[in-house]
Amino acid sequence: MIRNIYIAALMVVSVLLTGCEPEEPRGPKEVKQMTLIYAINNNNLSADLVANESQMLEAMGNVDPDVYKLLVYKYTDDGPGLYEVSNDKGRRTFSLIRRYDKSELSIDPKRVSDVLSYALEEYPGVESNLFFWGHGNGWVNPNKYSNTVVSNLVKADGNGVKLSVEMPELYGFGGEYVDETKRKTDYVDLDLLAGAIPEGMFDMIWFDCCYMSSIEVAYQFRNKCNTFVAYPTEIMAEGLPYNLVIPKIVGIAPDRRAAAKALYDYYTGKASPDPVTVAVMDMGKIEDVAAAAGEIFGLGSARPSVADMQNYSRFYSTPYYDFGQYLREYAEANVSVAGKEKVEALVMALNDALSEFVVYSAASDEDFNYPYAKPILKENFSGISIHSYMGVNSAREDFYRKLDWYTATWGKLQ
């Protein structure tokens, strides 16, 4: 009897307390952040996006998707579409919010512009992040390298004869199948991709694909975001561990350095560690780097030897040398003309500018070079790469002269 009275009293108190609580806000919630992942998955990476999407849903499990929007543009059997993470009775899922025509490739600058503009207009004035997901080859354009036969990439056979291997065409970003045969892929030139992105609208742009941490790429995107994240080498096909990275990007206190470290720790922490590199850049500091580089290029015309320079590319026709090492050795190569004192001063200015620009960088002990993994020497790792511009007349150098980095550095010396 006493127990029944006690329970009844508790029920009364509970009702009274409940009645005093404020009601749950009704109507649409205020969106505080928008993150868009623009995926080129109509290629040999399609299964990897499926795995990444599961990680994204896991990461959003403790986040209100109505307040912190996570959008994914991708290709399915029904064609390309824009999806958002939504709450379905407590379970996170992807919901289609806009369908796009199959006739236009996802690497078409117009399609990129349309998708980005729609997302930004739907959630105006909020902090916005952009991930590019797919294949990447840095600054290189499609003008027009046919498949290149490259030797020295595979071990010699049993008779000591070097084998050769046919490598794919080199482009900028994408790697999208162009038709149903799936025999050919297409990419988008770096300058056209950058031109499709509105200026000053994204707080962060992160390239989750190979080779995009080059000074040429970063400088082309200098007005597109505040923070730029990319990899100077290749990345494993699985890409980012989104379940570990998204929680450090989506929310009230994004920490891009911690997100990049989560990527590094994931790959190097495996029982059999995989190669990985990453760099986080403060785009507000990139002009100081360009100015320092321009001063060094202006010292003289002597080029440094690249024979033993740290090269992040396995495409021998397009090496990507470490930016810091290349600039320092370029300066040293011209010391007889410029004088030791001036060279030392300019190298110090470069190092200072670079330390302000690259706010976080990390690299595994070895990279992806084939047939043998080569060590990444930490004293020569700056987190970004550079092309050794030779000033010759060729399709590749002609395209290089179209890039903003050339205009800001080499172009001023002409």
Side-chain angles (χ1 to χ4, degrees), residues 283-301:
M283 298 297 259
K285 305 294 184 180
I286 197 170
E287 294 294 358
D288 293 337
V289 174
E295 291 287 338
I296 288 176
F297 292 147
L299 288 173
S301 58

PDB file of all heavy atoms in Angstrom, residues 283-301:
ATOM      1  N   MET A 283      45.054  29.587 -46.780  1.00  0.00           N
ATOM      2  CA  MET A 283      45.118  30.275 -48.063  1.00  0.00           C
ATOM      3  C   MET A 283      45.357  31.775 -47.939  1.00  0.00           C
ATOM      4  O   MET A 283      45.733  32.438 -48.904  1.00  0.00           O
ATOM      5  CB  MET A 283      43.844  30.002 -48.852  1.00  0.00           C
ATOM      6  CG  MET A 283      43.650  28.531 -49.176  1.00  0.00           C
ATOM      7  SD  MET A 283      44.943  27.852 -50.239  1.00  0.00           S
ATOM      8  CE  MET A 283      44.110  27.864 -51.815  1.00  0.00           C
ATOM      9  N   GLY A 284      45.150  32.316 -46.758  1.00  0.00           N
ATOM     10  CA  GLY A 284      45.445  33.722 -46.537  1.00  0.00           C
ATOM     11  C   GLY A 284      46.926  34.015 -46.553  1.00  0.00           C
ATOM     12  O   GLY A 284      47.331  35.188 -46.609  1.00  0.00           O
ATOM     13  N   LYS A 285      47.767  32.978 -46.533  1.00  0.00           N
ATOM     14  CA  LYS A 285      49.219  33.146 -46.488  1.00  0.00           C
ATOM     15  C   LYS A 285      49.897  32.766 -47.793  1.00  0.00           C
ATOM     16  O   LYS A 285      51.124  32.841 -47.904  1.00  0.00           O
ATOM     17  CB  LYS A 285      49.801  32.289 -45.362  1.00  0.00           C
ATOM     18  CG  LYS A 285      49.202  32.543 -43.993  1.00  0.00           C
ATOM     19  CD  LYS A 285      49.518  33.934 -43.483  1.00  0.00           C
ATOM     20  CE  LYS A 285      48.989  34.131 -42.056  1.00  0.00           C
ATOM     21  NZ  LYS A 285      49.292  35.493 -41.540  1.00  0.00           N
ATOM     22  N   ILE A 286      49.127  32.358 -48.805  1.00  0.00           N
ATOM     23  CA  ILE A 286      49.747  31.821 -50.016  1.00  0.00           C
ATOM     24  C   ILE A 286      50.442  32.885 -50.859  1.00  0.00           C
ATOM     25  O   ILE A 286      51.418  32.597 -51.559  1.00  0.00           O
ATOM     26  CB  ILE A 286      48.704  31.052 -50.861  1.00  0.00           C
ATOM     27  CG1 ILE A 286      49.412  30.153 -51.871  1.00  0.00           C
ATOM     28  CG2 ILE A 286      47.718  32.008 -51.539  1.00  0.00           C
ATOM     29  CD1 ILE A 286      48.484  29.187 -52.581  1.00  0.00           C
ATOM     30  N   GLU A 287      49.974  34.132 -50.804  1.00  0.00           N
ATOM     31  CA  GLU A 287      50.624  35.176 -51.601  1.00  0.00           C
ATOM     32  C   GLU A 287      52.049  35.437 -51.130  1.00  0.00           C
ATOM     33  O   GLU A 287      52.935  35.775 -51.938  1.00  0.00           O
ATOM     34  CB  GLU A 287      49.808  36.465 -51.574  1.00  0.00           C
ATOM     35  CG  GLU A 287      48.444  36.363 -52.249  1.00  0.00           C
ATOM     36  CD  GLU A 287      48.511  36.124 -53.755  1.00  0.00           C
ATOM     37  OE1 GLU A 287      49.635  36.063 -54.311  1.00  0.00           O
ATOM     38  OE2 GLU A 287      47.443  35.994 -54.365  1.00  0.00           O
ATOM     39  N   ASP A 288      52.295  35.280 -49.828  1.00  0.00           N
ATOM     40  CA  ASP A 288      53.657  35.437 -49.315  1.00  0.00           C
ATOM     41  C   ASP A 288      54.570  34.346 -49.857  1.00  0.00           C
ATOM     42  O   ASP A 288      55.752  34.582 -50.127  1.00  0.00           O
ATOM     43  CB  ASP A 288      53.652  35.394 -47.784  1.00  0.00           C
ATOM     44  CG  ASP A 288      52.951  36.590 -47.163  1.00  0.00           C
ATOM     45  OD1 ASP A 288      52.851  37.631 -47.839  1.00  0.00           O
ATOM     46  OD2 ASP A 288      52.491  36.483 -46.009  1.00  0.00           O
ATOM     47  N   VAL A 289      54.025  33.149 -50.033  1.00  0.00           N
ATOM     48  CA  VAL A 289      54.801  32.045 -50.608  1.00  0.00           C
ATOM     49  C   VAL A 289      55.108  32.344 -52.072  1.00  0.00           C
ATOM     50  O   VAL A 289      56.236  32.128 -52.538  1.00  0.00           O
ATOM     51  CB  VAL A 289      54.032  30.715 -50.472  1.00  0.00           C
ATOM     52  CG1 VAL A 289      54.760  29.588 -51.191  1.00  0.00           C
ATOM     53  CG2 VAL A 289      53.838  30.359 -49.006  1.00  0.00           C
ATOM     54  N   ALA A 290      54.117  32.832 -52.794  1.00  0.00           N
ATOM     55  CA  ALA A 290      54.326  33.172 -54.203  1.00  0.00           C
ATOM     56  C   ALA A 290      55.380  34.266 -54.352  1.00  0.00           C
ATOM     57  O   ALA A 290      56.240  34.207 -55.248  1.00  0.00           O
ATOM     58  CB  ALA A 290      53.009  33.606 -54.843  1.00  0.00           C
ATOM     59  N   ALA A 291      55.322  35.256 -53.478  1.00  0.00           N
ATOM     60  CA  ALA A 291      56.305  36.344 -53.537  1.00  0.00           C
ATOM     61  C   ALA A 291      57.708  35.827 -53.261  1.00  0.00           C
ATOM     62  O   ALA A 291      58.670  36.195 -53.951  1.00  0.00           O
ATOM     63  CB  ALA A 291      55.925  37.437 -52.544  1.00  0.00           C
ATOM     64  N   ALA A 292      57.851  34.961 -52.255  1.00  0.00           N
ATOM     65  CA  ALA A 292      59.163  34.401 -51.917  1.00  0.00           C
ATOM     66  C   ALA A 292      59.693  33.538 -53.051  1.00  0.00           C
ATOM     67  O   ALA A 292      60.884  33.593 -53.392  1.00  0.00           O
ATOM     68  CB  ALA A 292      59.060  33.593 -50.626  1.00  0.00           C
ATOM     69  N   ALA A 293      58.806  32.741 -53.668  1.00  0.00           N
ATOM     70  CA  ALA A 293      59.223  31.887 -54.782  1.00  0.00           C
ATOM     71  C   ALA A 293      59.644  32.735 -55.982  1.00  0.00           C
ATOM     72  O   ALA A 293      60.649  32.440 -56.647  1.00  0.00           O
ATOM     73  CB  ALA A 293      58.096  30.943 -55.167  1.00  0.00           C
ATOM     74  N   GLY A 294      58.888  33.784 -56.269  1.00  0.00           N
ATOM     75  CA  GLY A 294      59.223  34.658 -57.385  1.00  0.00           C
ATOM     76  C   GLY A 294      60.594  35.292 -57.218  1.00  0.00           C
ATOM     77  O   GLY A 294      61.351  35.434 -58.186  1.00  0.00           O
ATOM     78  N   GLU A 295      60.925  35.680 -55.989  1.00  0.00           N
ATOM     79  CA  GLU A 295      62.241  36.251 -55.711  1.00  0.00           C
ATOM     80  C   GLU A 295      63.350  35.239 -55.984  1.00  0.00           C
ATOM     81  O   GLU A 295      64.407  35.577 -56.533  1.00  0.00           O
ATOM     82  CB  GLU A 295      62.313  36.736 -54.264  1.00  0.00           C
ATOM     83  CG  GLU A 295      61.450  37.944 -53.954  1.00  0.00           C
ATOM     84  CD  GLU A 295      62.023  39.226 -54.540  1.00  0.00           C
ATOM     85  OE1 GLU A 295      63.243  39.269 -54.802  1.00  0.00           O
ATOM     86  OE2 GLU A 295      61.241  40.175 -54.751  1.00  0.00           O
ATOM     87  N   ILE A 296      63.122  34.001 -55.601  1.00  0.00           N
ATOM     88  CA  ILE A 296      64.135  32.963 -55.812  1.00  0.00           C
ATOM     89  C   ILE A 296      64.277  32.646 -57.297  1.00  0.00           C
ATOM     90  O   ILE A 296      65.399  32.511 -57.814  1.00  0.00           O
ATOM     91  CB  ILE A 296      63.783  31.706 -54.996  1.00  0.00           C
ATOM     92  CG1 ILE A 296      64.014  31.986 -53.505  1.00  0.00           C
ATOM     93  CG2 ILE A 296      64.601  30.497 -55.455  1.00  0.00           C
ATOM     94  CD1 ILE A 296      63.625  30.857 -52.587  1.00  0.00           C
ATOM     95  N   PHE A 297      63.161  32.533 -58.022  1.00  0.00           N
ATOM     96  CA  PHE A 297      63.238  32.288 -59.464  1.00  0.00           C
ATOM     97  C   PHE A 297      63.968  33.425 -60.166  1.00  0.00           C
ATOM     98  O   PHE A 297      64.612  33.221 -61.205  1.00  0.00           O
ATOM     99  CB  PHE A 297      61.848  32.118 -60.063  1.00  0.00           C
ATOM    100  CG  PHE A 297      61.128  30.872 -59.632  1.00  0.00           C
ATOM    101  CD1 PHE A 297      59.750  30.866 -59.494  1.00  0.00           C
ATOM    102  CD2 PHE A 297      61.819  29.706 -59.347  1.00  0.00           C
ATOM    103  CE1 PHE A 297      59.079  29.717 -59.110  1.00  0.00           C
ATOM    104  CE2 PHE A 297      61.165  28.557 -58.950  1.00  0.00           C
ATOM    105  CZ  PHE A 297      59.780  28.561 -58.825  1.00  0.00           C
ATOM    106  N   GLY A 298      63.882  34.614 -59.616  1.00  0.00           N
ATOM    107  CA  GLY A 298      64.536  35.772 -60.217  1.00  0.00           C
ATOM    108  C   GLY A 298      66.021  35.859 -59.953  1.00  0.00           C
ATOM    109  O   GLY A 298      66.701  36.743 -60.498  1.00  0.00           O
ATOM    110  N   LEU A 299      66.563  34.947 -59.143  1.00  0.00           N
ATOM    111  CA  LEU A 299      67.999  34.965 -58.851  1.00  0.00           C
ATOM    112  C   LEU A 299      68.842  34.666 -60.071  1.00  0.00           C
ATOM    113  O   LEU A 299      69.949  35.192 -60.225  1.00  0.00           O
ATOM    114  CB  LEU A 299      68.323  33.942 -57.753  1.00  0.00           C
ATOM    115  CG  LEU A 299      67.864  34.273 -56.334  1.00  0.00           C
ATOM    116  CD1 LEU A 299      68.099  33.088 -55.415  1.00  0.00           C
ATOM    117  CD2 LEU A 299      68.595  35.514 -55.812  1.00  0.00           C
ATOM    118  N   GLY A 300      68.361  33.804 -60.925  1.00  0.00           N
ATOM    119  CA  GLY A 300      69.133  33.397 -62.097  1.00  0.00           C
ATOM    120  C   GLY A 300      68.421  32.289 -62.836  1.00  0.00           C
ATOM    121  O   GLY A 300      67.357  31.820 -62.427  1.00  0.00           O
ATOM    122  N   SER A 301      69.020  31.829 -63.909  1.00  0.00           N
ATOM    123  CA  SER A 301      68.365  30.837 -64.767  1.00  0.00           C
ATOM    124  C   SER A 301      68.860  29.414 -64.541  1.00  0.00           C
ATOM    125  O   SER A 301      68.339  28.479 -65.157  1.00  0.00           O
ATOM    126  CB  SER A 301      68.583  31.204 -66.237  1.00  0.00           C
ATOM    127  OG  SER A 301      69.977  31.275 -66.533  1.00  0.00           O
TER     128      SER A 301
END
